Amino acid sequence: MTTIRLTMAQALLRFLDNQYVSVDGIETKFIKGVMGIFGHGNVTGIGEALERSAGDLVYVQGKNEQGMVHAAAAFAKQSNRKQIFACTSSIGPGALNMITAAATATVNRIPVLLLPGDNFASRQPDPVLQQLEVSSDYTISANEPFKAVSKYWDRIVRPEQLMSACANAMRVLLDPAETGAVTLALPQDVQAEAYDYPSDFFARKVHYIDRRPAAADAVQRAAAVIKSKKKPLIIAGGGVLYADAMKELEVFAEAFGIPVSETQAGKSALPWNHPLNVGAIGVTGTLAANKLAREADVIIGIGTRYSDFTTSSKSAFGNPDVQFVNVNVSSFDSSKLNGAAITADAKEGLKALHAALGQIGYLSSHDPSVIAALKQEWDSEVDRLYAAEHEAGFAQTRALGVIQETLDPSSVIVCAAGSLPGDLHRLWRPAQPKTYHMEYGFSCMGYEIAGAFGAALAEPGREVYAVVGDGSYLMLHSEMVTSLQEGRKITILLFDNHGFQCIHNLQRGHGSDGFGNEFRYRSQETGKLSGSYMPIDFAAHARSLGAKAYKAGNAEQLKEALQLAKQETVTTLIEIPVVPGTNTGGYESWWNVGVPEVSVSDVVVRAGKEMNAKIQSVTLR
């Protein structure tokens, strides 16, 4: 057996550089490159390896550890999980900055490989700079918290351990059901230690991601449930897109006359103007979808994990006889809501269920004219909101209408948090798949700009737009600089509504007068944050970083700015001041949040009683 003497870090990169995936016979290089920020915990180990022996791996310099992991996750999401970036950081604060983004990736079932530096395995120089010391357990470092948010976690304390760790890392990263953040903690001394690695460890490896077929018995059980029902409703989740099952979904819905609703992750799986697409479901859902959900006697969930927003805290389904059929590659998700589970790839599951229902001649009892009327009613509501004017200034829904009519249908919009996800879920009209990129599993503020950069890395031929509120922008905008550095243009549509207005609305809707959510000066009279709004020049800030920037306070200015931004060759920001509270509201939906049962405010107490009454009315599932 021939061997190659390399440091652990050098060996890791050589291994990663030779990993490929094959899906439906198409091979793709799995690890595109490494995003990183260097410190003493990784610069002389993996940093040296990236500088001297990275092979074909691309190095991207992050500006914030959380931001670069968001970018890596967005890249993987936009690539349908067929290609990823690894992320490296130093020990301590650098590593801990990745925790939030690691959780975001895991919640959304997105593969990211995290390579944080770690304490010296030898312990000889302990405690080193940035080392977390736990006096009761000296094996604990700042990397232990990754265990809670990782699908696989390991610490390489000897260079030869790398081989088994890499095998397990790849196993999890490539598992459609169990993927998420994978963390390999790399002690800074071990990164630089050499070992005689077997040369076959570095051989080109093709990992075959086979589509999981549907079990025949499971399909028959699901078909039996559907056969006994008259008014089914499909909920299309992200699994439809990841499985590239958009056509199968369309054919299935048309064959049996079943309307299709969408989760945030599933939106764009079916064109918005398809006759059976009734739009968003749940708390941020359309009137059409929520009305159909209330009456449905069977819900066919395809590739969805049934979050509380999707189910309106399980209140969306008003039919006392409603049952669930779940097609999901994950048994954890396919078994939810006591459903008839088809644990399979979404494409394979849809094909099998289609065949079974076809054999029995199933057809739903939905009246096509009723679905058409509901859809027309909602389309008219969207048109109204897109055209809505407000006496105090630019309405948020009006701004979105201008953006919708101006952007090319192939453009990708990226969003994650605030009031904008609700508006986009209800109102946005995607005509092509993978043009609606929403992170709403974790709804992580700060994902938007980093995510847009990651999406632009994955699809350089498309225009990519970050749709972001001022709160999220202030929280994390650093990867705007990385987009400039890499020459990957994104356009940032910054909605300035003076604060965290989504939560401000939620707060006031449950008895509060409004507290701590707007960007106001502290009042000298009251001592509270109730003074005037803080004037922040976001366009000037973007220009100071090297981006182009425009301001648009009305529809005409916004349309002009969007057209000018298209002509720019570098990252561009458009600042859009909008009137707070001009977002969409609920459409026959409800969300369970904790409201105090005891308060000095009678309004809060009443809100608490109303909430408890709603909770009591929901059937436990």
Side-chain angles (χ1 to χ4, degrees):
M1 180 180 66
T2 59
T3 61
I4 303 174
R5 189 163 183 81
L6 297 170
T7 68
M8 184 266 277
Q10 294 163 359
L12 172 60
L13 294 189
R14 185 173 293 199
F15 172 86
L16 295 179
D17 194 31
N18 284 287
Q19 305 305 301
Y20 292 78
V21 296
S22 177
V23 181
D24 296 334
I26 299 174
E27 286 187 12
T28 306
K29 183 178 174 65
F30 187 55
I31 315 291
K32 173 72 172 179
V34 179
M35 297 184 182
I37 297 177
F38 294 128
H40 65 87
N42 65 342
V43 69
T44 57
I46 199 168
E48 187 277 339
L50 283 164
E51 179 183 6
R52 306 291 185 189
S53 55
D56 292 329
L57 296 174
V58 177
Y59 174 68
V60 175
Q61 181 193 77
K63 306 300 176 293
N64 175 285
E65 289 89 354
Q66 181 184 150
M68 72 183 183
V69 179
H70 284 324
F75 175 88
K77 178 181 174 74
Q78 198 66 29
S79 302
N80 260 9
R81 307 189 296 193
K82 296 173 184 175
Q83 193 171 47
I84 71 169
F85 271 88
C87 295
T88 179
S89 76
S90 186
I91 74 168
L96 287 169
N97 279 348
M98 296 197 291
I99 294 283
T100 299
T104 302
T106 292
V107 167
N108 286 284
R109 279 70 160 173
I110 303 296
V112 292
L113 176 60
L114 307 179
L115 307 171
D118 208 335
N119 299 346
F120 273 74
S122 70
R123 302 187 185 176
Q124 192 277 325
D126 290 2
V128 299
L129 181 66
Q130 299 181 325
Q131 178 173 339
L132 175 69
E133 286 190 289
V134 178
S135 60
S136 61
D137 186 345
Y138 211 72
T139 65
I140 292 176
S141 79
N143 287 331
E144 253 64 26
F146 281 99
K147 291 180 178 180
V149 296
S150 298
K151 299 296 286 188
Y152 179 78
W153 185 99
D154 205 344
R155 176 178 283 125
I156 317 301
V157 297
R158 292 176 58 90
E160 61 266 38
Q161 291 177 350
L162 179 68
M163 292 180 283
S164 62
C166 283
N168 280 311
M170 292 301 296
R171 170 181 58 82
V172 175
L173 288 167
L174 295 168
D175 187 331
E178 291 298 323
T179 195
V182 167
T183 302
L184 301 182
L186 309 179
Q188 54 186 304
D189 53 343
V190 182
Q191 289 180 45
E193 291 177 4
Y195 182 75
D196 294 317
Y197 289 93
S199 52
D200 61 3
F201 178 56
F202 307 112
R204 187 179 191 274
K205 171 70 173 178
V206 179
H207 303 265
Y208 296 92
I209 304 179
D210 298 319
R211 294 185 180 275
R212 181 169 184 172
D217 287 349
V219 172
Q220 292 304 316
R221 289 191 294 268
V225 171
I226 298 171
K227 179 183 178 182
S228 67
K229 303 296 184 178
K230 296 181 177 180
K231 290 192 174 182
L233 174 68
I234 292 170
I235 297 180
V240 175
L241 290 162
Y242 295 139
D244 196 26
M246 293 81 74
K247 187 63 179 177
E248 286 73 16
L249 170 65
E250 182 179 20
V251 170
F252 182 88
E254 290 174 351
F256 307 112
I258 306 175
V260 178
S261 63
E262 309 164 309
T263 70
Q264 288 278 20
K267 193 173 176 71
S268 82
L270 199 63
W272 74 273
N273 55 356
H274 189 284
L276 290 171
N277 187 343
V278 294
I281 183 77
V283 175
T284 52
T286 71
L287 189 60
N290 286 341
K291 281 183 175 179
L292 288 168
R294 189 172 60 246
E295 299 170 359
D297 51 10
V298 61
I299 301 296
I300 306 172
I302 307 169
T304 177
R305 64 191 189 93
Y306 289 114
S307 77
D308 64 338
F309 261 61
T310 299
T311 68
S312 291
S313 299
K314 300 180 181 176
S315 70
F317 316 112
N319 190 319
D321 298 320
V322 67
Q323 291 181 266
F324 294 81
V325 170
N326 304 323
V327 180
N328 203 296
V329 73
S330 165
S331 61
F332 180 72
D333 290 324
S334 66
S335 64
K336 287 179 177 176
L337 297 174
N338 198 28
I342 300 177
T343 304
D345 170 84
K347 179 178 283 194
E348 296 297 316
L350 276 169
K351 286 179 179 179
L353 189 56
H354 188 155
L357 292 176
Q359 286 179 353
I360 60 176
Y362 178 77
L363 188 66
S364 81
S365 298
H366 282 294
D367 184 342
S369 66
V370 172
I371 295 174
L374 287 170
K375 186 170 175 59
Q376 178 57 49
E377 178 187 20
W378 180 251
D379 288 346
S380 297
E381 173 68 355
V382 174
D383 291 340
R384 182 189 72 81
L385 290 166
Y386 273 173
E389 302 287 351
H390 197 282
E391 59 184 14
F394 205 8
Q396 181 163 297
T397 60
R398 178 74 178 105
L400 288 174
V402 173
I403 295 166
Q404 176 82 80
E405 70 181 38
T406 308
L407 265 56
D408 187 277
S410 65
S411 300
V412 178
I413 63 164
V414 179
C415 191
S419 61
L420 287 164
D423 286 355
L424 290 169
H425 196 204
R426 290 189 182 101
L427 308 181
W428 197 253
R429 291 167 162 172
Q432 300 179 21
K434 303 294 288 186
T435 56
Y436 184 87
H437 181 126
M438 181 69 68
E439 187 290 291
Y440 214 62
F442 220 43
S443 186
C444 186
M445 294 182 68
Y447 177 93
E448 296 89 342
I449 292 172
F453 168 58
L457 282 176
E459 299 213 64
R462 291 192 183 192
E463 288 283 334
V464 178
Y465 293 80
V467 185
V468 60
D470 53 330
S472 278
Y473 179 88
L474 289 172
M475 194 168 288
L476 186 56
H477 53 257
S478 54
E479 303 319 308
M480 183 196 318
V481 176
T482 313
S483 74
L484 291 163
Q485 183 179 34
E486 292 291 329
R488 294 299 177 95
K489 176 195 171 186
I490 61 174
T491 302
I492 301 165
L493 307 177
L494 191 154
F495 285 68
D496 180 8
N497 60 10
H498 303 294
F500 308 126
Q501 295 294 350
C502 175
I503 299 303
H504 191 217
N505 293 339
L506 177 67
Q507 182 182 51
R508 289 183 299 164
H510 293 86
S512 172
D513 298 324
F515 176 76
N517 277 307
E518 294 191 296
F519 297 157
R520 295 179 179 272
Y521 287 108
R522 189 169 297 280
S523 168
Q524 298 301 312
E525 290 78 20
T526 67
K528 298 180 179 180
L529 297 175
S530 57
S532 60
Y533 286 128
M534 299 179 68
I536 301 172
D537 193 335
F538 293 103
H541 179 260
R543 291 190 196 103
S544 75
L545 297 176
K548 300 293 184 179
Y550 301 92
K551 288 189 179 182
N554 57 47
E556 292 72 24
Q557 292 174 0
L558 179 54
K559 182 172 290 188
E560 181 183 9
L562 287 165
Q563 292 168 344
L564 290 170
K566 283 184 181 181
Q567 299 170 20
E568 298 288 0
T569 58
V570 300
T571 289
T572 302
L573 180 142
I574 302 176
E575 181 181 342
I576 311 168
V578 294
V579 179
T582 55
N583 53 289
T584 59
Y587 287 88
E588 298 193 13
S589 65
W590 169 69
W591 190 32
N592 186 350
V593 294
V595 182
E597 295 182 280
V598 177
S599 173
V600 296
S601 166
D602 291 339
V603 179
V604 172
V605 172
R606 283 199 300 273
K609 290 180 179 178
E610 292 172 3
M611 179 61 68
N612 285 335
K614 290 179 179 178
I615 292 171
Q616 296 302 317
S617 69
V618 175
T619 302
L620 296 178
R621 301 184 191 278

